[in-house]
């Protein structure tokens, strides 16, 4: 009799532990995350075909779309593609070329980002390009502006028509961990203005901030690098991340650092199934 | 000096409440035009309030629409303190707010925020 | 500063709270006062010209900034404010240095709290799981 409360307590503790364990195992899978994510945009833009989201804000902004289509007739990124092709073909000082690192290149954009088991990290295309350069005795390129965008433009152009297909391999739990970190980053409020990425691109896509319409997060990764009229040039995805962090007055992270690579892993996974259509042109 | 008198007034206010009588306050304190003008400038400027980024406000250009148009404020916020609280920390009313916490996160100073409140309350 | 207005606002806030209609209005009235006191301290004549106090304020700001950075919560301008504070101190304006450092310290603390409050990810309700 004396023992009864004690036993009850023990029982409830056991039950509580079991419940927590269950809650932990109920962590949604990436597949489930993606389903819920896509549904958000389907619900909000029922008339927009899924494939259209690869066109970013122009999938949902008919007025912006008109001038965008006009711009696409004489694409501002064309010169960068040409310069990129030269880079791809030109031998390094040691006589080798990018092709020696990327045998199946140049149309390889759809293979990134991917989980690199050996290095235990998310591998992105810009990082892989620089690792190639360094292995051939060349200096790495800068990650936001400059000539890295040329070669990225060429590779993007050559990869058009390929489909986004980010894999989170199950044989290495660190891959799922990287995905979860990227996801956490995406939904975490930051900066003096207290915004998560999701607040603009998932909560409020289609709404206007001043006169800019916010693009849906779905499809945001298909078309980088992007020529932006506001930049007056072309820039990488991580340059864009930097800008979106800064505008909410958060300190941006290092381009190609772990935070942004994990973010890219998550965000690109969300666009799985969408066709690559880079390079892009934006306002 | 200003801080001193603020403290004094708040003590006075507290005292008045403790006394608990039928306190009648004239809410129709005349707000001078200069304060309203400053409040408007602060509300419109990108570096300060930038309320136009998300709210349509009469007289403002290139306004966004993430938040509702700011209008009929006097009717909807008869109590200016409630309006102030909304602008000071909108997450109290809505945990998933898409509005910056202008007071709590020090985007506007307390005195600037007062001016913005005065101006917004006239809308 | 319009005194009458301040009084009216404070009274209103307090009364509303007493009436129990809106608790948060009163809560929010409390915070600004604390900050006003902070500002008063930074501006008070005793502290101007006090290099040691400025150095201490800058050190406090820097450690608050680092603490925020350690949880990925640093804000954009905090580091810049600290640099400006250091420059002001160098130029002999310790009052300005203290003011800037206090502001930076506050940002560091807020950035840290902001990140800590979100340690466990809570998915927004507009995503329908």
């Amino acid at each position: 009799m004396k023992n009864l409360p004690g036993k009850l307590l023990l029982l409830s503790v056991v039950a509580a532990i079991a419940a927590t364990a269950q809650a932990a195992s109920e962590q949604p899978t990436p597949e489930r995350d993606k389903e819920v994510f896509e549904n958000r945009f389907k619900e909000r833009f029922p008339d927009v075909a899924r494939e259209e989201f690869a066109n970013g804000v122009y999938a949902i902004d008919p007025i912006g779309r008109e001038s965008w289509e006009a711009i696409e007739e004489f694409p501002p990124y064309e010169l960068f593609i040409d310069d990129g092709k030269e880079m791809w073909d030109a031998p390094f000082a040691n006589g080798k070329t990018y092709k020696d690192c990327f045998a199946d290149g140049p149309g390889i954009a759809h293979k990134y980002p991917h989980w690199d088991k050996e290095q235990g990290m998310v591998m992105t295309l810009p990082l892989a390009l620089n690792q190639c350069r360094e292995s051939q005795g060349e200096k790495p390129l800068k990650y936001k502006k400059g000539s890295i965008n040329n070669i990225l433009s060429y590779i993007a152009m050559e990869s058009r028509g390929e489909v986004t297909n980010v894999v989170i391999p199950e044989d290495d739990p660190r891959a799922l961990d990287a995905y979860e970190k990227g996801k956490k980053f995406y939904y975490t409020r930051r900066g003096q203005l207290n915004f998560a990425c999701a607040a603009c691109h998932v909560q409020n896509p289609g709404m206007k901030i001043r006169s800019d319409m916010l693009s849906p997060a779905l499809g945001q990764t298909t078309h980088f690098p992007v020529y932006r009229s506001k930049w007056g040039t072309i820039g990488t995805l991580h340059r864009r991340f930097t800008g979106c962090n800064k505008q909410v007055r958060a300190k941006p992270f290092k381009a190609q650092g772990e935070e942004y690579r994990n973010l890219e892993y998550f965000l690109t996974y969300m666009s799985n199934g969408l066709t690559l259509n880079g390079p892009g042109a934006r306002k | 000096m200003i801080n001193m008198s603020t403290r004094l007034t708040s003590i006075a206010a507290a005292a008045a409440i403790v006394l608990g009588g039928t306190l009648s306050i004239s809410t129709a304190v005349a707000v001078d035009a200069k304060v309203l003008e400053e409040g408007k400038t602060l509300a419109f400027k990108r570096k300060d309030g930038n309320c136009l980024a998300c709210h349509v406000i009469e007289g403002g250009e290139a306004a966004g629409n993430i938040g509702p148009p700011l209008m009929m404020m006097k009717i909807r916020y008869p109590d200016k303190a409630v309006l102030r609280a909304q602008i000071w920390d909108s997450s109290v009313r809505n945990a998933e707010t898409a509005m910056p916490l202008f007071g709590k996160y020090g985007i506007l100073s307390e005195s600037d925020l007062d001016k913005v409140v005065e101006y917004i309350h006239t809308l | 500063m319009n005194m009458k207005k301040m009084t009216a606002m404070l009274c209103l806030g307090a009364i509303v709270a007493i009436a129990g209609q809106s608790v948060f209005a009163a809560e929010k009235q409390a915070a600004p006062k604390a900050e006003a006191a902070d500002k008063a301290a930074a501006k008070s004549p005793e502290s101007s010209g006090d290099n040691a106090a400025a150095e201490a304020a800058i050190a406090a700001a820097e450690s608050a900034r680092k603490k925020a950075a350690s949880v990925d919560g640093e804000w954009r301008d905090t580091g810049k404010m600290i640099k400006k504070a250091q420059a002001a101190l160098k130029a002999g304006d310790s009052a300005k240095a203290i003011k800037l450092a206090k502001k930076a310290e506050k940002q560091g603390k807020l950035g840290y709290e902001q990140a800590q409050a979100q340690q466990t990810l809570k998915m927004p309700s507009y995503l329908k799981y």
Side-chain angles (χ1 to χ4, degrees):
Chain A
M1 204 49 194
K2 236 199 227 164
N3 246 334
L4 193 52
K7 267 186 204 144
L8 275 179
L9 184 69
L10 192 70
L11 258 178
S12 58
V13 167
V14 169
I17 290 171
T20 346
Q22 205 193 3
S25 72
E26 268 170 20
Q27 173 85 349
T29 60
E31 291 81 13
R32 179 75 183 131
D33 284 339
K34 178 168 168 52
E35 191 186 327
V36 171
F37 192 85
E38 272 201 27
N39 283 342
R40 165 76 182 162
F41 299 101
K42 252 187 237 162
E43 233 172 66
R44 207 161 159 117
F45 308 105
D47 300 332
V48 175
R50 184 167 172 278
E51 194 54 29
E52 263 294 316
F53 284 101
N55 293 323
V57 74
Y58 307 119
I60 57 170
D61 176 10
I63 298 166
R65 186 167 186 124
E66 258 178 56
S67 46
W68 174 63
E69 280 174 351
I71 287 171
E72 283 283 350
E73 303 227 344
F74 304 96
Y77 46 75
E78 216 148 55
L79 289 173
F80 299 94
I81 297 174
D82 296 345
D83 288 353
K85 180 168 171 25
E86 263 175 45
M87 276 172 87
W88 179 269
D89 293 334
F92 299 128
N94 67 3
K96 299 205 167 161
T97 69
Y98 284 104
K99 189 89 182 164
D100 288 287
C101 303
F102 306 99
D104 43 0
I108 50 173
H110 59 295
K111 301 192 169 165
Y112 297 87
H114 67 242
W115 180 251
D116 183 323
K117 196 171 176 181
E118 229 167 82
Q119 300 188 55
M121 61 193 263
V122 171
M123 183 54 60
T124 62
L125 180 54
L127 191 59
L129 286 167
N130 267 348
Q131 288 195 346
C132 166
R133 291 178 63 87
E134 288 182 290
S135 73
Q136 305 298 338
E138 297 287 320
K139 278 202 187 128
L141 304 171
K142 287 198 186 136
Y143 282 126
K144 289 189 289 193
K145 309 176 186 181
S147 64
I148 197 162
N149 287 287
N150 300 352
I151 190 147
L152 286 171
S153 295
Y154 175 58
I155 291 173
M157 191 67 193
E158 293 293 314
S159 313
R160 276 194 180 181
E162 300 285 356
V163 172
T164 308
N165 181 29
V166 175
V167 177
I168 300 163
E170 278 169 17
D171 65 347
D172 189 345
R174 295 174 302 171
L176 182 60
D177 190 48
Y179 165 89
E180 293 291 348
K181 280 183 181 151
K183 174 177 156 190
K184 169 105 193 291
F185 188 107
Y186 199 78
Y187 292 104
T188 298
R189 291 174 178 274
R190 288 204 153 67
Q192 192 181 27
L193 302 190
N194 199 35
F195 275 96
C197 310
C200 283
H201 298 299
V202 185
Q203 191 179 15
N204 286 300
M207 305 306 273
K208 283 190 167 174
I209 189 157
R210 286 274 176 174
S211 38
D212 289 328
M213 188 181 285
L214 293 166
S215 58
L218 182 60
Q220 270 186 338
T221 53
T222 60
H223 47 270
F224 275 82
V226 159
Y227 184 95
R228 249 191 116 193
S229 314
K230 199 181 146 197
W231 291 337
T233 187
I234 196 157
T236 61
L237 181 61
H238 289 204
R239 181 175 179 191
R240 186 71 241 201
F241 289 171
T242 304
C244 278
N245 269 156
K246 277 196 201 159
Q247 71 176 341
V248 301
R249 302 188 193 166
K251 188 174 179 211
F253 294 82
K254 241 177 88 185
Q256 296 303 331
E258 191 189 349
E259 292 87 356
Y260 281 174
R261 278 185 291 103
N262 290 344
L263 175 62
E264 178 177 341
Y265 196 44
F266 163 77
L267 196 57
T268 314
Y269 181 90
M270 288 296 119
S271 288
N272 267 357
L274 292 179
T275 305
L276 296 186
N277 55 353
R282 294 288 182 273
K283 216 166 69 168
Chain B
M1 202 51 206
I2 285 175
N3 280 311
M4 192 56 178
S5 27
T6 311
R7 239 174 269 153
L8 280 180
T9 43
S10 63
I11 289 166
I17 286 152
V18 170
L19 289 176
T22 48
L23 202 63
S24 78
I25 301 163
S26 129
T27 40
V29 182
V31 179
D32 60 85
K34 190 165 156 275
V35 168
L36 291 183
E37 198 48 44
E38 282 174 16
K40 182 175 178 177
T41 308
L42 286 163
F44 282 20
K45 264 174 100 177
R46 277 169 204 262
K47 275 184 80 175
D48 298 307
N50 199 14
C51 315
L52 285 173
C54 303
H55 296 285
V56 169
I57 301 175
E58 204 192 324
E61 274 166 30
N65 60 0
I66 295 177
L70 297 181
M71 59 204 301
M72 297 190 295
M73 282 292 138
K74 265 202 194 90
I75 300 169
R76 306 204 7 258
Y77 289 87
D79 183 349
K80 229 184 255 177
V82 175
L83 178 61
R84 190 181 199 278
Q86 164 70 25
I87 302 170
W88 202 85
D89 179 358
S90 57
S91 74
V92 172
R93 211 154 53 163
N94 173 11
E96 289 176 358
T97 186
M99 171 160 152
L101 317 182
F102 286 97
K104 184 177 179 186
Y105 279 2
I107 302 162
L108 291 171
S109 72
E110 296 300 331
S111 60
D112 284 353
L113 203 126
D114 285 337
K115 290 173 192 162
V116 169
V117 171
E118 290 300 343
Y119 164 65
I120 298 291
H121 203 240
T122 65
L123 296 173
Chain C
M1 176 50 66
N2 186 333
M3 262 327 118
K4 267 196 243 156
K5 188 183 73 199
M6 282 290 274
T7 318
M9 268 175 41
L10 281 163
C11 292
L12 269 176
I15 288 162
V16 167
I18 297 266
Q21 282 168 353
S22 163
V23 181
F24 72 90
E27 273 171 14
K28 293 308 155 199
Q29 291 293 328
K33 260 184 264 155
E35 204 208 23
D38 255 15
K39 273 191 192 151
K43 271 186 205 151
S44 72
E46 298 94 315
S47 60
S48 64
D50 188 344
N51 283 3
E55 267 163 27
I58 290 171
E62 183 57 16
S63 93
R65 185 196 66 76
K66 280 202 184 129
K67 200 169 161 196
S70 74
V71 290
D72 286 355
E74 185 177 349
W75 291 1
R76 187 188 63 189
D77 303 329
T78 314
K80 285 179 213 161
M81 276 177 203
I82 294 173
K83 286 218 176 85
K84 276 192 195 159
Q86 281 161 337
L89 177 60
K90 239 184 170 174
D93 191 347
S94 55
K96 186 177 169 196
I98 289 173
K99 203 177 155 199
L100 282 162
K102 287 249 181 223
K103 218 171 153 185
E105 185 188 1
K106 188 182 163 198
Q107 285 210 344
K109 284 184 175 158
L110 287 167
Y112 177 79
E113 282 165 22
Q114 180 186 41
Q116 285 307 94
Q118 301 174 87
Q119 253 184 340
T120 40
L121 172 62
K122 192 168 160 277
M123 294 303 274
S125 65
Y126 50 81
L127 286 176
K128 308 266 162 48
Y129 276 90

